[in-house]
Amino acid sequence: WLLPRGGSNSPITGSKRKISIIVSSQWIKLTKNNLISSSIKQKQRTTLSLFIMHFNSIIIPFLLSLSTSLVKSDDSQRLRRRSNNNNVDEEPERRVFVQYKAGLRSDFESRIQQRFSRTRMHYDFPDMDTLVLTVKENDLADLRRDPSVESVHNDVPRYPFYIPESVKRRELQDGGNQQIPYGIDMVQAQQAWAAGATGANIKVCVVDTGVAEHPDLLDVTGPDLPLPFSADGVGHGTHCAGTIAAADNSFGVVGVAPNAEIISVKVFSDDGLYAYSSGILSAAQECQSLGADIISMSLGGPLPNIFELLGYRNLERDGIITVAAAGNFGNSLWSFPASYPGVVSVAAVDENKVKASFSQTNRQVDIAAPGVDVLSTLPQDGACDICDSIDEYSYGTISGTSMACPHVAGVLALLKSKYNATASEYIAAIENTAEDLGRVGRDNNYGHGLVQAYEALQYLENISSRSDVNINQSNDPATEAPTNPPTNPP
């Protein structure tokens, strides 16, 4: 399946947002009402059909073969590890999304109960008639043939997108004064504060390794299931949260939207190795149920999943903006969820506004933000993979598109704290006002360019005066620059 970029030269649409083209017959049936606009002209429909005919015969077999081989390889390695540890042969397993046919959930559940000793359920997505299961490899064929099953798709891994060897320790506790990370001014955050946008009353959900307690992170909440939100054994989530909303006080650092609220939903265990796409999607839905306005995902992986795509489209439909890291492979591969329609894909630049060598280069990149040697918060206590290299210090610099992503999430929180608009209008604001970098116009390195908070505010201000646009200033008390909370240095 293919996710092409729309644009002024696109034969499919003149929009600057993405369009998804699903080229499997089952997926077309599943998503035709959600993914293909009724406003597409007949000529454009013909072009779409040509794409489907061409790529269904060439790309689909390749992607399915790649996905299957990668998952089988992972299963084989897991089986060998278990065999080595236990000296017994274990039947390999597969973790999959299973969509049951409409109206046949009870029949499907009965079948699952019959397989109870061989099947484990992880997640239930009733809005998509789908369960996520781990099944024995030998049961897959029977599962696909079951009359109550519509389709079966692999649950694929996702990884945190930071560069571990980039971690540098910073001793700020004894430094006295607050330090302003370079990215704050690069994205025009302080100018936005002066204009009355501080992120107040906006909830940004950080789907990550958890967000640890920290004197610079004052308003963090979250669920303790399936993993405790405040336990961060890696440091990655705490660092991203600080970039979004570290307090403006007399010590440490400050975030892009210092008055925003952080919701932490932990998806990575304390080894920080990987999580599954189903767990990430479930966390995003949890963010929505907790009232999040924006979701920040500094994570991803190279394999797509149709149910993920539908899930993020539903979030966008409900007015929630999802921001994700473009990826650290340093090539043109697409990363997911960043490359899905309705998700903002963020590339990384350094202090000189030059694309980071590790940052992905592809047509799915929407925007760029600081992502090299970014200074932010880190956990103070307990076991922490990153913190092992920085002793007891609670601040440090890290590189990765993981670090660029929260800058954009913070900027969107600033915009949303001052103006009431739609998700697409906020995204249009940051794309149309970005500082153009690299080749003139949108390019695959920087997307639309470096995100600029103040310019985006001016854009929303200007279009709010048009009679055909319904954008108003927020009624929330967020019109003052951030105040210094009465918090003593650590």
Side-chain angles (χ1 to χ4, degrees):
W1 57 297
L2 185 68
L3 296 174
R5 162 72 62 180
S8 59
N9 297 322
S10 170
I12 300 173
T13 177
S15 169
K16 291 184 179 179
R17 297 302 301 146
K18 302 168 195 169
I19 282 187
S20 91
I21 301 177
I22 310 300
V23 297
S24 163
S25 59
Q26 286 184 336
W27 294 348
I28 291 175
K29 178 181 177 182
L30 177 65
T31 64
K32 62 181 179 181
N33 294 327
N34 293 330
L35 301 181
I36 301 179
S37 170
S38 60
S39 65
I40 297 179
K41 298 178 181 178
Q42 184 62 40
K43 181 178 179 181
Q44 295 170 330
R45 292 182 186 273
T46 302
T47 304
L48 182 61
S49 299
L50 291 175
F51 267 110
I52 292 173
M53 292 173 61
H54 179 67
F55 286 100
N56 201 33
S57 63
I58 299 175
I59 300 299
I60 286 299
F62 169 75
L63 284 179
L64 291 178
S65 174
L66 174 64
S67 175
T68 301
S69 63
L70 287 174
V71 173
K72 285 186 175 179
S73 175
D74 179 65
D75 288 337
S76 298
Q77 292 177 13
R78 187 160 55 246
L79 175 60
R80 283 196 296 270
R81 286 196 300 269
R82 289 176 178 172
S83 297
N84 290 337
N85 291 336
N86 302 325
N87 293 320
V88 295
D89 290 332
E90 293 188 20
E91 187 179 345
E93 298 176 329
R94 183 89 64 88
R95 180 160 161 158
V96 292
F97 286 82
V98 183
Q99 184 191 27
Y100 49 87
K101 293 180 179 178
L104 295 182
R105 179 182 176 110
S106 59
D107 293 347
F108 178 63
E109 287 178 334
S110 296
R111 294 284 293 163
I112 294 300
Q113 291 174 0
Q114 293 173 13
R115 299 171 179 271
F116 185 79
S117 63
R118 297 171 60 86
T119 302
R120 302 190 305 277
M121 188 179 85
H122 303 285
Y123 296 102
D124 183 358
F125 296 103
D127 56 324
M128 295 185 286
D129 294 338
T130 299
L131 297 177
V132 177
L133 309 172
T134 291
V135 300
K136 298 297 184 181
E137 192 80 36
N138 290 340
D139 288 339
L140 274 175
D142 289 340
L143 188 62
R144 289 192 173 99
R145 287 193 296 264
D146 191 288
S148 65
V149 170
E150 182 71 38
S151 62
V152 179
H153 301 275
N154 291 328
D155 194 4
V156 292
R158 301 285 179 248
Y159 310 92
F161 276 153
Y162 74 105
I163 310 297
E165 57 269 24
S166 71
V167 177
K168 300 174 184 176
R169 67 183 189 181
R170 293 289 293 271
E171 183 175 2
L172 298 183
Q173 289 99 319
D174 298 330
N177 296 327
Q178 183 185 68
Q179 293 190 28
I180 307 297
Y182 77 87
I184 299 301
D185 287 329
M186 187 177 284
V187 302
Q188 298 184 329
Q190 293 198 77
Q191 290 175 259
W193 304 342
T198 66
N201 300 307
I202 301 302
K203 296 180 179 181
V204 182
C205 193
V206 178
V207 177
D208 214 296
T209 61
V211 178
E213 292 185 8
H214 193 286
D216 242 345
L217 296 171
L218 303 179
D219 196 356
V220 181
T221 59
D224 280 326
L225 292 174
L227 297 169
F229 76 93
S230 60
D232 185 0
V234 180
H236 186 268
T238 304
H239 194 276
C240 292
T243 295
I244 296 169
D248 186 21
N249 48 34
S250 61
F251 62 90
V253 297
V254 64
V256 173
N259 287 347
E261 303 171 34
I262 295 292
I263 300 173
S264 168
V265 179
K266 182 181 173 103
V267 293
F268 294 104
S269 60
D270 285 342
D271 60 19
L273 293 179
Y274 69 93
Y276 281 98
S277 59
S278 60
I280 306 298
L281 178 57
S282 176
Q285 293 182 346
E286 179 72 5
C287 291
Q288 180 179 23
S289 69
L290 294 172
D293 301 288
I294 298 157
I295 302 175
S296 181
M297 293 187 172
S298 293
L299 50 82
L303 297 177
N305 180 284
I306 180 62
F307 297 103
E308 255 192 335
L309 183 150
L310 292 175
Y312 294 118
R313 292 280 297 204
N314 290 340
L315 290 171
E316 182 191 31
R317 176 202 62 199
D318 294 338
I320 298 172
I321 305 173
T322 303
V323 186
N328 295 346
F329 306 115
N331 55 32
S332 60
L333 287 175
W334 295 1
S335 174
F336 302 91
S339 294
Y340 289 133
V343 178
V344 180
S345 177
V346 186
V349 299
D350 63 18
E351 194 167 0
N352 297 314
K353 303 180 182 179
V354 176
K355 185 189 83 73
S357 60
F358 52 77
S359 186
Q360 291 303 95
T361 301
N362 57 56
R363 60 184 176 181
Q364 301 305 96
V365 171
D366 290 297
I367 202 97
V372 178
D373 292 336
V374 173
L375 176 63
S376 188
T377 49
L378 287 172
Q380 293 193 113
D381 304 313
C384 166
D385 285 352
I386 291 177
C387 303
D388 287 343
S389 64
I390 61 171
D391 301 324
E392 74 278 12
Y393 302 113
S394 57
Y395 301 87
T397 59
I398 312 178
S399 298
T401 51
S402 274
M403 286 57 250
C405 173
H407 281 90
V408 175
V411 168
L412 288 165
L414 295 178
L415 303 186
K416 197 168 179 62
S417 69
K418 185 164 185 182
Y419 292 101
N420 292 320
T422 65
S424 61
E425 286 167 341
Y426 291 122
I427 294 171
I430 63 171
E431 290 183 344
N432 289 323
T433 61
E435 179 183 346
D436 194 15
L437 301 175
R439 184 165 54 89
V440 175
R442 198 213 155 268
D443 61 64
N444 291 347
N445 287 331
Y446 304 96
H448 294 271
L450 177 64
V451 66
Q452 300 286 272
Y454 181 73
E455 297 298 330
L457 286 172
Q458 294 300 108
Y459 174 91
L460 291 173
E461 174 69 27
N462 291 337
I463 67 171
S464 67
S465 61
R466 289 166 39 188
S467 60
D468 60 330
V469 178
N470 184 25
I471 294 180
N472 302 303
Q473 287 207 19
S474 172
N475 294 322
D476 294 331
T479 57
E480 297 181 358
T483 56
N484 296 339
T487 304
N488 295 323

